[in-house]
Amino acid sequence: LGAHALWARATPVGTVDGVAWGAWQAGDWGRLDHRAAAGALELGLQPALLPSLRPWLRVWAFHGGGDRDAGDARHGTFFNGLPTPRPFARFPFHNLMNVSQRAVTLALRPGTRLALRGDLSSVRLASASDLWYAGGGAFERASFGYAGRPTGGARALATLADLSADLRLSPRLGLAAYVARAAAGDAVRAVYPGTRPAWLSYVELDVRR
């Protein structure tokens, strides 16, 4: 079951907007009862100043439930189905399972063809008793495309900073660039001791027919 709400209102300082959504799952997980939930809240401000850049500042939070007791008869990890993690984790070292994220985003939209975006976020496990999950599912037969690692009770996954630029060259041709740096938290270091900050960057060309 799920629900969401979106709203926007013009104010003297600019347009204020918000998004809220929640999802609840119930059923069977093998021989266990499954009960899990997830939710997100986002607030944004598009200030009236700097109209040539059209800035958009957003603060947001997400919580995907984790299992609190692996030995009981209930499975409490929110299962995010079979999508790729990329829409919500552009540096996909996690997915929506057992994760709690807080972030601030600044977007600049000079003109109609260029969009710039920067994010700073803290990524933690929702439950220290559950695993650190990664993967999008349905690509590997033995694991079904998901991996989970115990972190010894640590919850901090990473502090993530990233930048992106999307340029529409023509109605059919687009160019995107992305760079991110993730500083490992205690949960990552529990699995990979001595971990240094991780980097991800790519350039992408998309063609529409």
Side-chain angles (χ1 to χ4, degrees):
L1 300 175
H4 69 268
L6 304 91
W7 58 269
R9 178 172 296 179
T11 72
V13 297
T15 300
V16 178
D17 59 84
V19 177
W21 72 264
W24 181 71
Q25 300 173 334
D28 297 322
W29 189 268
R31 297 183 177 182
L32 304 178
D33 290 332
H34 178 71
R35 301 288 187 276
L41 179 64
E42 180 177 329
L43 297 173
L45 171 64
Q46 301 177 63
L49 51 83
L50 300 175
S52 61
L53 294 178
R54 291 194 298 152
W56 190 0
L57 180 65
R58 293 150 50 200
V59 292
W60 54 273
F62 170 81
H63 183 86
D67 195 88
R68 297 182 179 180
D69 185 354
D72 64 9
R74 176 171 293 183
H75 180 263
T77 306
F78 181 76
F79 183 64
N80 59 286
L82 302 177
T84 171
R86 184 175 173 182
F88 52 83
R90 296 188 294 174
F91 191 165
F93 59 87
H94 65 90
N95 54 30
L96 298 183
M97 300 159 64
N98 189 37
V99 69
S100 181
Q101 189 169 3
R102 308 289 185 271
V104 57
T105 298
L106 176 62
L108 301 176
R109 298 159 293 168
T112 58
R113 294 169 49 184
L114 177 64
L116 306 172
R117 173 179 165 181
D119 291 78
L120 180 63
S121 61
S122 170
V123 187
R124 298 173 57 84
L125 298 184
S127 171
S129 302
D130 206 343
L131 305 178
W132 164 24
Y133 295 97
F139 78 90
E140 200 274 327
R141 179 169 297 183
S143 70
F144 196 55
Y146 290 101
R149 300 294 300 270
T151 63
R155 293 182 58 193
L157 277 180
T159 299
L160 176 66
D162 61 7
L163 296 170
S164 65
D166 294 273
L167 177 63
R168 179 54 51 185
L169 300 172
S170 72
R172 295 185 178 181
L173 193 64
L175 183 66
Y178 177 80
V179 60
R181 179 184 185 272
D186 292 342
V188 173
R189 287 193 291 267
V191 179
Y192 303 107
T195 297
R196 295 178 296 175
W199 291 82
L200 172 69
S201 60
Y202 63 80
V203 176
E204 180 180 72
L205 181 70
D206 71 86
V207 180
R208 302 177 182 179
R209 298 186 60 183

